[in-house]
Amino acid sequence: MGVIKKKTATRGTEGGVKFVCDVCSADITSTVRIRCAHPACTEYDLCVPCFSNGDSSGSHHPPTHQYQVIEQHSIPIFTEDWGADEELLLLEGAESYGLGSWAEIANHIGGYRTKEEVRDHYISTYIDSPNFPLPELASPKNSGGLEKISREDFQARKKRRIEDRREAAKNLPPATPKKKPTASVPACHEVQGYMPGRMEFETEYANDAEEAVQHMQFDPGDGFDPRTSELEPEMKLKLTVMDIYNSRLTARAERKKAIFEHKLLEYRKNAALDKKRTKEEKDLLNKAKPFARMMNHQDFEDFCNGLVDELNLRQAIAQLQEWRQMRIGDLRSGEKYEAEKAHRANAMKPQSIGQFDRLASARQPKATPPVEIPSAAAALTAPELPHSITQNGAHTPSSTSPPSRSPHTNGDVGKPLANGSLNGTVTPSTNKQRFIIQPLANVQPLTLNNENATDLHLLTKEEQQLCSMLRIMPKPYLVMKEHIMKEAMKQGGNLKKKVAREICRIDVNKGSRIYDFFVNSGWIGKA
């Protein structure tokens, strides 16, 4: 049968619809061809030599099948430079590809017609015609372009035009490939998955909403019961499904409206603005995003600016309150305090190790912690401890190596802290007796472990034994310890047993045991 082939060459070349002989496969596009008119042969074309020889293929039977002689209508009918065959291909291309797809229509026509040439011819001949939608010379009585130019001259001009444009096409430089496709596909926009030409997303809200109604059918007259004139249950179910589908479409349209209204598709611009905000401002604006669906763009911008201004005011007030607690009275001192505070915070951060520095030799050694100078409270609460610590961390008895005095430490170097440790190292004591916790009468010791006492790991072994003997949980004990230590610091490190028992607010015997334990550990002194 006749095969209609469409050239895949670049646009603007010869292109067009091609016809080949179904027997010898010769190109018969530009010459006379014989087409079988029998219903059994669909688009079956033969060249003149094959038809003369009686050749056939397939179901074609030359002695009995009727045929048509088709020749090229290469004659002008509406304008001097367009033939009847090109006019027919123009209308076929417009019907196949749609008006506006001039490049595809030009490729369908062939003959090196450009898309601008095809567009201008269609507008001038069909759109601007006084007999719209028919051309001006569409009357059968009008011979058209034959009155102005003969068939031979027209064909000679057409041949010359095709040869000239073919030579010009050969001399053109190769076309550079486009970096970005012009079609409306998800890759054409800075937001992945958005198709700007269709104003749709690759994955919409409730993307599977159409699956419930894609096979639903509504036939005329169905759905009503002829006896009761009421809706049938099946029709009611269909209408309910349609209501659900329409509600999903409404929700989808509302979300699209919010996206377009608040310009969320301008990703690069929004990302640049977001980089200028602090972490607190980003968290606050993320929490305020749900309110965008009930405001227009300007109102939401004013709302967000107001929230940011409020956040900045609260931060400024908190900073001024902190300065007041630190006895800072002017802005210059406050700036200096903030700079030193930031410097201390950076110094406390651990130095990051490279990703590939896995060997111990490649890692940076830990910095030696600075020697902590004991405070005056440590000198008051633990004056009897006999050992001192040198700067290199070695423990030296005070009888053989007295502590060195420095003008910067007022003789306090070497004195341990109130808890018997300096720089995190527990100071051993040879003459310090271990405190023995005496059990209370009629009080059974409590067994403590990590399951029934979650804060047990915060206590020393002696404190764990104390809590077990007194049947006190670790968390209440830590609260009592904190209040006792604060009260002792207010009174210079010393505290009375009566005050300690009042702070504990438990059994007086248990409060006395806790007080004796603190005094023996050197944390507080007797008043």
Side-chain angles (χ1 to χ4, degrees):
M1 65 178 188
V3 180
I4 300 178
K5 295 183 179 180
K6 189 176 180 181
K7 269 201 171 183
T8 57
T10 58
R11 293 169 180 173
T13 58
E14 189 173 358
V17 180
K18 299 297 181 182
F19 297 94
V20 295
C21 178
D22 285 273
V23 175
C24 64
S25 300
D27 188 4
I28 54 177
T29 304
S30 303
T31 184
V32 178
R33 67 181 185 274
I34 310 300
R35 168 160 293 190
C36 181
H38 196 273
C41 300
T42 305
E43 295 183 355
Y44 189 91
D45 296 319
L46 292 174
C47 63
V48 175
C50 292
F51 176 77
S52 302
N53 297 331
D55 299 335
S56 64
S57 62
S59 60
H60 178 63
H61 189 248
T64 58
H65 287 189
Q66 298 178 353
Y67 61 89
Q68 296 175 346
V69 179
I70 301 177
E71 60 177 344
Q72 290 294 314
H73 303 292
S74 184
I75 53 175
I77 54 176
F78 299 143
T79 59
E80 297 181 2
D81 56 343
W82 279 73
D85 54 346
E86 293 177 320
E87 297 287 354
L88 182 60
L89 292 174
L90 171 61
L91 297 179
E92 290 179 355
E95 183 180 2
S96 301
Y97 303 105
L99 291 177
S101 303
W102 305 115
E104 286 79 4
I105 296 175
N107 190 27
H108 181 77
I109 296 172
Y112 291 92
R113 294 288 187 183
T114 62
K115 60 180 181 179
E116 293 82 5
E117 188 177 4
V118 174
R119 179 194 59 199
D120 296 341
H121 174 73
Y122 184 84
I123 294 175
S124 61
T125 305
Y126 296 91
I127 302 299
D128 298 339
S129 172
N131 299 330
F132 176 82
L134 298 177
E136 183 178 3
L137 303 178
S139 175
K141 299 180 181 179
N142 197 327
S143 59
L146 291 177
E147 298 177 354
K148 302 178 182 179
I149 184 174
S150 62
R151 179 193 296 263
E152 292 75 12
D153 294 341
F154 175 80
Q155 293 180 353
R157 291 183 183 181
K158 181 179 179 181
K159 182 178 180 181
R160 192 183 310 114
R161 173 176 55 82
I162 293 176
E163 292 177 353
D164 294 341
R165 295 189 178 182
R166 184 186 293 116
E167 292 296 329
K170 292 181 180 179
N171 299 329
L172 288 177
T176 57
K178 295 182 178 180
K179 297 182 180 180
K180 189 174 183 181
T182 57
S184 180
V185 295
C188 287
H189 199 267
E190 55 187 288
V191 176
Q192 184 67 26
Y194 176 66
M195 295 172 282
R198 300 169 58 182
M199 298 183 70
E200 294 179 355
F201 292 90
E202 187 177 11
T203 303
E204 295 281 356
Y205 172 77
N207 198 46
D208 55 347
E210 287 75 10
E211 295 181 359
V213 297
Q214 61 180 351
H215 300 298
M216 191 177 297
Q217 295 180 355
F218 291 90
D219 297 328
D222 291 347
F224 284 95
D225 190 350
R227 293 175 298 177
T228 60
S229 299
E230 295 180 356
L231 287 175
E232 296 179 354
E234 183 180 358
M235 180 59 66
K236 291 182 179 180
L237 178 61
K238 288 183 178 181
L239 295 178
T240 303
V241 173
M242 289 301 300
D243 292 339
I244 296 174
Y245 173 65
N246 290 331
S247 63
R248 292 183 177 181
L249 292 184
T250 303
R252 182 186 299 175
E254 290 177 353
R255 281 161 174 78
K256 278 188 179 181
K257 180 180 177 182
I259 291 174
F260 298 144
E261 172 70 22
H262 297 283
K263 302 178 181 179
L264 300 182
L265 295 176
E266 299 178 359
Y267 175 76
R268 294 188 180 90
K269 182 179 179 181
N270 296 333
L273 293 176
D274 198 44
K275 288 182 180 180
K276 300 178 182 179
R277 300 188 179 103
T278 61
K279 182 180 181 300
E280 293 78 8
E281 293 178 354
K282 293 179 183 178
D283 296 339
L284 180 62
L285 294 181
N286 286 334
K287 294 179 181 179
K289 284 182 178 180
F291 295 98
R293 295 179 59 184
M294 59 188 70
M295 300 181 185
N296 57 34
H297 182 63
Q298 186 61 39
D299 293 344
F300 183 69
E301 286 292 329
D302 297 340
F303 176 67
C304 292
N305 293 334
L307 291 179
V308 173
D309 293 341
E310 180 186 3
L311 176 64
N312 294 334
L313 288 176
R314 290 182 179 274
Q315 292 178 348
I317 292 173
Q319 188 180 44
L320 292 176
Q321 290 176 349
E322 183 181 2
W323 289 2
R324 179 181 293 177
Q325 293 178 358
M326 297 299 173
R327 301 288 190 265
I328 298 175
D330 56 290
L331 293 177
R332 181 173 298 178
S333 301
E335 294 175 357
K336 182 179 179 181
Y337 167 75
E338 292 294 336
E340 294 177 353
K341 180 180 177 181
H343 180 71
R344 289 194 300 270
N346 294 331
M348 292 176 63
K349 290 182 181 179
Q351 295 182 355
S352 60
I353 301 176
Q355 181 180 1
F356 302 101
D357 297 340
R358 299 179 181 177
L359 299 177
S361 58
R363 298 183 179 180
Q364 299 179 357
K366 295 183 178 180
T368 304
V371 178
E372 183 177 354
I373 301 175
S375 61
L380 293 174
T381 56
E384 73 280 4
L385 297 180
H387 287 78
S388 62
I389 302 176
T390 58
Q391 293 185 1
N392 58 1
H395 302 280
T396 307
S398 59
S399 59
T400 58
S401 177
S404 60
R405 307 180 66 88
S406 173
H408 300 286
T409 58
N410 297 327
D412 291 336
V413 174
K415 290 185 179 180
L417 297 178
N419 60 356
S421 63
L422 181 63
N423 295 334
T425 305
V426 178
T427 305
S429 177
T430 55
N431 59 352
K432 181 179 178 180
Q433 297 181 358
R434 182 180 180 184
F435 179 74
I436 300 176
I437 304 173
Q438 298 296 334
L440 297 177
N442 300 326
V443 176
Q444 186 69 19
L446 179 65
T447 303
L448 299 177
N449 51 44
N450 292 328
E451 296 181 357
N452 58 8
T454 56
D455 299 329
L456 186 64
H457 64 283
L458 301 176
L459 308 181
T460 61
K461 293 183 179 180
E462 292 78 8
E463 290 178 317
Q464 294 178 8
Q465 184 180 4
L466 175 66
C467 292
S468 177
M469 297 297 294
L470 301 182
R471 295 186 65 87
I472 301 176
M473 297 302 290
K475 191 170 184 179
Y477 167 77
L478 292 173
V479 175
M480 291 184 288
K481 177 182 177 182
E482 180 182 2
H483 286 78
I484 290 174
M485 300 299 290
K486 288 183 178 179
E487 187 65 26
M489 294 299 295
K490 293 179 182 179
Q491 300 181 13
N494 299 328
L495 192 67
K496 294 182 179 180
K497 181 181 289 188
K498 181 179 179 181
V499 178
R501 288 185 297 189
E502 291 177 355
I503 293 175
C504 293
R505 295 181 181 179
I506 56 176
D507 184 66
V508 292
N509 295 325
K510 294 182 180 181
S512 299
R513 294 289 194 280
I514 294 175
Y515 176 80
D516 296 338
F517 177 75
F518 286 179
V519 172
N520 184 266
S521 299
W523 296 344
I524 61 176
K526 294 183 178 181

